[in-house]
Amino acid sequence: MTTVLLLGSGGREHALGRALAASAETLHVAPGNPGLASLGTLHNIDACDPEAVVALARQAGADLVVVGPEAPLVAGVADAVREAGIDCFGPSAAAARLEGSKAFAKDVMRAAGVPTADARVCETPEQAAAALDAFGPPYVVKNDGLAAGKGVVVTTDRDAALAHAAACGRVVVEEFLDGPEVSLFAVCDGTTAVPLLPAQDFKRVGDGDAGSNTGGMGAYCPLPWAPDDLAAEVMAQVVDPTLAEMRRRGTPFTGLLYAGLALTSRGMRVVEFNARFGDPETQAVLALLATPLAPVLLAAARGELAELPPLAWRDGAAVVVVEAASGYPGAPVLGGSVELPADVSDAWTIQAGTGLADGQLVASGGRVLGVVGLGEDLEAARERAYAHLSQVRFPDGFHRTDIGAPH
């Protein structure tokens, strides 16, 4: 049993907190949200402040620090925690550039022979225009830096693509990848990596994949339509070569490597890397994990993943549906009251963008809730998620109605 300090305040952290609280002796969270308050002790510090995080970890007697969001990783929080002699699950600032810079990630993939979309790094409007013309529509333009999951524009409107490039400055313009997208998380200790279940999320705001890109409006796992050897293929072609290249560069990757993939007509391609658990897939994937999470993350932090037995998974499927605030992903309406049904064994609510006002739960972000349903198959899990969601009282909210529906 261990004392864990979890950094972050969103739906990803609430899902992680649920899993960690079940397998850790004590859980501390900074800064956390009202949902996490029932799982551990909240601390109001800046998770991106390395000195404050180290001080809190020492005060709490933390055996393990788990970094949830990407911003603290890029800010070097994991480096500071390790330098203080405390085990940390999360990559160094140098390794977190796999998410912090799309151009850096492309360079690593090229060197490692990882299949990905052809791309050009553009720093001027003229370069962006030339790249758009070279690849043709649909146009894919990605902010080179962190953008909270909303720095990507996929459009057939050349002017809109150019405007996004101009607003971002340095961008990566890519060829469009056809085929379904899949997310695979791998727990890494710098040398060894262990895959979690493949999942699929829904990025567009509206039913039928209409509207703007978001951070994710829902997800499900496992994938009944995917090849049985998908995870093994991703590990062999993507994760293991990437870890080897990062070691070769002197920046071994310890933490969670998130591979966003497209299963194209020409084979698997990496769409993007993230350096942490991704939302909302985390909420679905961890719902099916039977192996206690805290010992797995501690083994990764200590370079001991190879000594663990294989991960165990629950039978059946998990679906998560995001309830967002009106106006998301543009200008969400904040402050609306939220009332939640009681959690049950096969359906529960993950709090993401929530806060308290005069003791009342209110919306404090664009993606407010994630409602998880479990079932013996995808259809049953979907029914339970939507049945539980129907009991949520959030007048300012909306959600997609087709998460996990047959294509």
Side-chain angles (χ1 to χ4, degrees):
M1 303 293 282
T2 54
T3 296
V4 177
L5 170 58
L6 171 63
L7 301 181
S9 61
R12 165 185 50 234
E13 286 74 41
H14 192 185
L16 282 166
R18 282 177 58 96
L20 290 168
S23 54
E25 184 176 5
T26 308
L27 179 66
H28 295 266
V29 188
N33 64 32
L36 280 156
S38 65
L39 300 173
T41 304
L42 304 191
H43 302 269
N44 187 22
I45 68 164
D46 179 0
C48 292
D49 182 338
E51 292 183 2
V53 171
V54 169
L56 176 57
R58 286 175 170 156
Q59 173 192 329
D63 302 296
L64 174 67
V65 175
V66 177
V67 186
E70 60 272 28
L73 294 171
V74 174
V77 166
D79 303 77
V81 171
R82 289 193 186 95
E83 287 169 7
I86 302 169
D87 288 318
C88 184
F89 183 78
S92 65
R97 289 187 68 205
L98 280 175
E99 178 170 1
S101 170
K102 299 290 191 300
F104 175 78
K106 285 291 185 183
D107 185 62
V108 169
M109 283 187 270
R110 277 193 293 268
V114 171
T116 187
D118 288 340
R120 294 185 185 181
V121 179
C122 304
E123 298 185 349
T124 67
E126 293 76 19
Q127 290 174 344
L132 293 174
D133 292 340
F135 290 125
Y139 304 109
V140 181
V141 183
K142 299 181 177 181
N143 189 336
D144 180 51
L146 294 179
K150 290 174 282 189
V152 180
V153 164
V154 181
T155 179
T156 56
D157 185 335
R158 186 175 182 274
D159 290 339
L162 283 172
H164 183 65
C168 295
R170 192 169 194 248
V171 296
V172 174
V173 177
E174 292 186 354
E175 65 171 332
F176 177 76
L177 297 176
D178 63 346
E181 292 193 12
V182 173
S183 303
L184 185 84
F185 302 158
V187 176
C188 308
D189 69 4
T191 301
T192 301
V194 176
L196 306 187
L197 289 180
Q200 186 175 57
D201 76 336
F202 294 73
K203 289 294 188 189
R204 297 287 184 170
V205 72
D207 284 1
D209 291 331
S212 303
N213 262 343
T214 71
M217 292 297 293
Y220 69 94
C221 73
L223 309 179
W225 50 267
D228 291 339
D229 63 349
L230 176 61
E233 181 184 3
V234 176
M235 297 302 288
Q237 294 191 28
V238 177
V239 175
D240 291 341
T242 299
L243 291 188
E245 175 62 17
M246 294 298 284
R247 288 197 305 275
R248 189 190 68 79
R249 294 176 179 227
T251 53
F253 188 97
T254 298
L256 196 288
L257 183 61
Y258 167 134
L261 309 157
L263 306 184
T264 78
S265 57
R266 295 174 293 147
M268 181 179 62
R269 298 288 187 273
V270 174
V271 176
E272 65 175 350
F273 281 140
N274 289 335
R276 39 73 193 178
F277 283 94
D279 235 357
E281 301 99 314
T282 299
Q283 301 175 34
V285 171
L286 292 185
L288 294 179
L289 180 64
T291 298
L293 182 63
V296 174
L297 302 191
L298 184 62
R302 293 178 172 174
E304 299 171 353
L305 273 181
E307 301 173 19
L308 292 185
L311 299 181
W313 297 93
R314 298 182 178 90
D315 293 333
V319 171
V320 56
V321 182
V322 169
E323 183 76 5
S326 297
Y328 177 78
V333 177
L334 306 182
S337 66
V338 180
E339 296 181 19
L340 304 179
D343 292 345
V344 293
S345 61
D346 59 4
W348 58 85
T349 305
I350 296 293
Q351 295 189 36
T354 61
L356 293 175
D358 299 324
Q360 166 68 48
L361 190 67
V362 298
S364 64
R367 289 185 295 172
V368 181
L369 308 170
V371 177
V372 181
L374 298 183
E376 59 273 17
D377 56 27
L378 184 56
E379 181 179 0
R382 184 173 183 274
E383 288 177 358
R384 286 174 186 147
Y386 277 105
H388 201 70
L389 178 57
S390 71
Q391 302 175 60
V392 171
R393 299 291 174 259
F394 178 33
D396 291 335
F398 75 97
H399 56 267
R400 284 183 58 160
T401 64
D402 60 349
I403 304 301
H407 298 320

